[in-house]
Amino acid sequence: MSIRVQLFITCLTEQFFPGVLKRMVGLLERLGVQVAFPEEQTCCGQPFFNSGHWSEAQKMARRWLQVFGKIEGAIVSPSGSCMDMVRH
């Protein structure tokens, strides 16, 4: 049985720590996990939310749910705060 996960590439990690994403994918693949990512994914909206721009954050969160809501299986990300944002 092969494990497949979807990678949530957070905007902050992509901009400031792209090497973390590369190493994360490499580690998962070495463990035999197939890593995919929806190309249409966007920011979860946390930067807007934390800045008090809640209506903008809500729009981005809805878009995130639209993209990742149709995916089966696990979603992984190198950012605990972004995962917390989409979970709550």
Side-chain angles (χ1 to χ4, degrees):
M1 181 173 101
S2 179
I3 298 172
R4 181 179 167 102
V5 299
Q6 298 293 324
L7 178 61
F8 170 28
I9 301 172
T10 67
C11 56
L12 296 175
T13 305
E14 182 180 30
Q15 290 297 312
F16 299 111
F17 306 104
V20 169
L21 293 167
K22 291 177 185 176
R23 289 189 296 277
M24 183 178 181
V25 170
L27 174 63
L28 289 168
E29 288 177 343
R30 280 196 308 275
L31 294 171
V33 177
Q34 292 179 335
V35 181
F37 62 93
E39 291 184 28
E40 63 273 11
Q41 68 177 286
T42 63
C43 174
C44 64
Q46 183 180 186
F48 287 105
F49 183 83
N50 291 344
S51 299
H53 300 282
W54 298 305
S55 62
E56 290 85 356
Q58 189 176 52
K59 290 174 193 171
M60 294 193 84
R62 283 194 174 132
R63 174 68 180 146
W64 192 96
L65 288 171
Q66 198 176 36
V67 171
F68 280 96
K70 59 187 172 188
I71 291 171
E72 292 185 28
I75 300 168
V76 298
S77 175
S79 174
S81 63
C82 291
M83 293 304 289
D84 186 64
M85 176 70 180
V86 298
R87 184 172 176 149
H88 293 95

